[in-house]
Amino acid sequence: MLREPLRKFLHRQIVDLKEAGCYRQMKLVDSAAGARVFLQGREVINFSSNNYLGLASSGFLKQAAAQALSGFGIGAGASRLVGGNFPPHEELEKKLANFKKTESALVFNCGYMANCGLISALCQREDLVFSDRLNHASIVDGVLLSRAKLVRYNHRDMEDLRRLLARHSGGRGKRLIVTDSLFSMDGDLAPLREIVDLAAEFEASVMVDEAHATGVLGEHGRGAVELFGLEGEIDIQMGTLSKALGAFGAYVAGDSLLIDFLINRARPFIFTTALPPPAVAAASMALDIVDNRPDLRDTLLRQAAWFRQKLQESGFNTLNSQTHIIPILVGDNERALSFSQKLLEAGIYAPAIRPPAVPRGGARLRISLIATHTLADLEEAADKIQRIGQELRLI
Ligand SMILES: Cc1ncc(COP(=O)(O)O)c(C=O)c1O
């Protein structure tokens, strides 16, 4: 039962969201996240999943999870610092440190918690956090929790970052530059080399969020930090285990001193039950697969390049996407929704992304490719996207 002032508030909020074209509802996916899924009772080509390498339903991951399930059960039963630290957790952290070429790594329960925990532990009121305007919400929330000053620079704009670093130089607080490495809604890459150089010039530290790059970018799939040859030059790296790695959870990788500090100070690490051992064991197995199957990321990126070019040739604006995340910019919320809806009726699931997930006026379809999409899937999708785009006069 909701009492009156609260009921009124909630009702007003929902009405406002609907009027702004920003009301959201969940769709039921009735099969494993893959290249094709059953969505609300029918099979569609799926462009909505971050399961980029198709590992979420891999037999190897299931087997690893089943083994941990029989050894350690489902729930961890306590936080890591109390009684929830099992061999799969420690094994995964060793593998992650090795994977990211850092001294140490720490597993968090999800990327959202990792970003909030990291930034709120590291930064204080007198500190400055320089953050790309398109960084993920969990980074922004981490800064808000820390009470440090949030200084937002224009997306990938190094002149703007330099100007802001110079304007805010001379304070007594620490300075942290934070960026997604691969931007989740645009599919473009942060200029990490320039960021590292600016950090050196202005005595700032650098934190990189590799959520969408882990397992996909770089020769060994270690992320954009590897791709740009910056291993050993980034203070703090985080990423998720839930996207290309097909499992669940997140990691922070860096020096042992950083990890030791986070174990003692990151509240979303301390005050929560540890990840279930089966999920942790599955993530460990996924790292082995990333190591042994470079063909998966090669296929993904090759097919993404082909698909992006097809869309561009049809006249769509895919912004500066360089990766397996391909936006189709529409602009208006309602038009993006109706584009997505018409595609769904034609058997293609490409979700419409609206504010606040993207800037106002930046509504789009977000196409997220999976290595297991076939060329036939992609050809069918490209044709239907073009036809429906023309019908809606988007191209
Ligand atoms: C850039 C970025 N960082 C962090 C997260 C949060 O990760 P998780 O889903 O594991 O909470 C996401 C998306 O979910 C993301 O896109």
Side-chain angles (χ1 to χ4, degrees):
M1 196 257 318
L2 288 168
R3 288 192 172 75
E4 199 40 38
L6 180 56
R7 202 193 66 76
K8 223 166 144 181
F9 166 78
L10 298 176
H11 179 72
R12 189 68 248 163
Q13 291 283 315
I14 295 290
V15 169
D16 288 351
L17 284 169
K18 285 183 175 166
E19 281 173 2
C22 290
Y23 180 67
R24 301 164 189 224
Q25 280 175 304
M26 293 183 273
K27 289 186 170 57
L28 186 67
V29 181
D30 198 12
S31 56
R36 284 178 177 258
V37 289
F38 277 89
L39 191 79
Q40 296 173 325
R42 71 186 262 257
E43 197 188 39
V44 294
I45 300 175
N46 181 26
F47 290 117
S48 72
S49 180
N50 301 322
N51 174 27
Y52 303 125
L53 299 180
L55 298 185
S57 53
S58 145
F60 292 107
L61 267 70
K62 287 182 191 170
Q63 222 171 21
Q67 215 172 352
L69 183 69
S70 85
F72 304 102
I74 298 177
S79 67
R80 293 283 301 284
L81 282 168
V82 178
N85 183 37
F86 293 98
H89 295 96
E90 297 212 347
E91 190 190 325
L92 175 60
E93 285 168 345
K94 281 202 191 89
K95 277 192 185 177
L96 282 164
N98 187 40
F99 177 67
K100 291 300 282 183
K101 300 282 168 246
T102 54
E103 281 179 11
S104 195
L106 185 67
V107 169
F108 278 72
N109 283 17
C110 66
Y112 186 92
M113 289 167 80
N115 277 338
C116 286
L118 249 176
I119 301 173
S120 63
L122 288 171
C123 298
Q124 290 153 350
R125 202 184 284 276
E126 66 274 17
D127 296 334
L128 292 161
V129 182
F130 299 85
S131 171
D132 187 291
R133 273 190 191 277
L134 296 193
N135 275 347
H136 191 255
S138 53
I139 291 175
V140 177
D141 292 358
V143 182
L144 294 178
L145 265 175
S146 76
R147 299 184 201 169
K149 185 175 171 60
L150 176 63
V151 183
R152 302 204 307 160
Y153 59 90
N154 293 334
H155 181 50
R156 297 168 72 225
D157 182 341
M158 293 299 100
E159 279 308 304
D160 198 36
L161 176 57
R162 166 180 287 284
R163 185 180 61 79
L164 290 166
L165 282 162
R167 185 202 286 174
H168 292 279
S169 65
R172 62 192 171 92
K174 304 188 288 300
R175 307 130 159 288
L176 179 67
I177 305 173
V178 186
T179 185
D180 288 11
S181 64
L182 195 180
F183 289 89
S184 58
M185 297 298 149
D186 287 48
D188 52 2
L189 297 172
L192 291 183
R193 165 52 66 196
E194 288 90 328
I195 288 175
V196 165
D197 290 346
L198 282 173
E201 189 179 335
F202 288 93
E203 293 183 342
S205 298
V206 178
M207 172 183 154
V208 173
D209 178 336
E210 295 260 53
H212 295 272
T214 303
V216 176
L217 297 185
E219 191 186 344
H220 302 92
R222 294 181 186 134
V225 171
E226 183 193 19
L227 179 72
F228 290 119
L230 290 169
E231 283 164 324
E233 297 190 55
I234 306 290
D235 301 78
I236 306 152
Q237 298 183 58
M238 69 74 66
T240 58
L241 309 170
S242 55
K243 301 186 194 313
L245 299 183
F248 192 69
Y251 66 85
V252 175
D255 286 5
S256 302
L257 180 62
L258 168 75
I259 300 303
D260 200 20
F261 169 79
L262 292 175
I263 291 171
N264 285 278
R265 279 284 189 238
R267 293 166 68 86
F269 174 81
I270 299 168
F271 296 106
T272 195
T273 300
L275 279 174
V280 174
S284 265
M285 176 57 74
L287 286 176
D288 292 346
I289 296 176
V290 166
D291 215 23
N292 299 329
R293 295 283 313 272
D295 56 302
L296 291 176
R297 53 184 174 274
D298 292 348
T299 302
L300 175 68
L301 294 173
R302 194 180 56 249
Q303 295 194 162
W306 179 86
F307 196 64
R308 195 167 50 243
Q309 195 180 342
K310 272 282 210 198
L311 295 173
Q312 286 168 352
E313 282 167 6
S314 298
F316 289 110
N317 180 353
T318 58
L319 298 173
N320 291 312
S321 166
Q322 298 161 262
T323 63
H324 52 292
I325 298 172
I326 308 175
I328 299 181
L329 187 67
V330 175
D332 176 69
N333 292 348
E334 295 297 345
R335 290 184 92 201
L337 273 179
S338 83
F339 192 14
S340 178
Q341 182 54 36
K342 287 212 167 354
L343 281 169
L344 190 55
E345 287 158 16
I348 310 290
Y349 183 37
I353 308 288
R354 293 162 286 161
V358 290
R360 245 202 252 191
R364 68 197 63 182
L365 301 190
R366 176 183 185 266
I367 305 270
S368 159
L369 266 71
I370 301 182
T372 52
H373 279 122
T374 63
L375 272 180
D377 288 336
L378 298 182
E379 271 166 11
E380 178 185 338
D383 287 347
K384 287 179 173 169
I385 292 171
Q386 182 180 28
R387 174 173 58 76
I388 293 170
Q390 281 164 344
E391 277 168 26
L392 295 176
R393 299 184 185 286
L394 293 168
I395 45 174

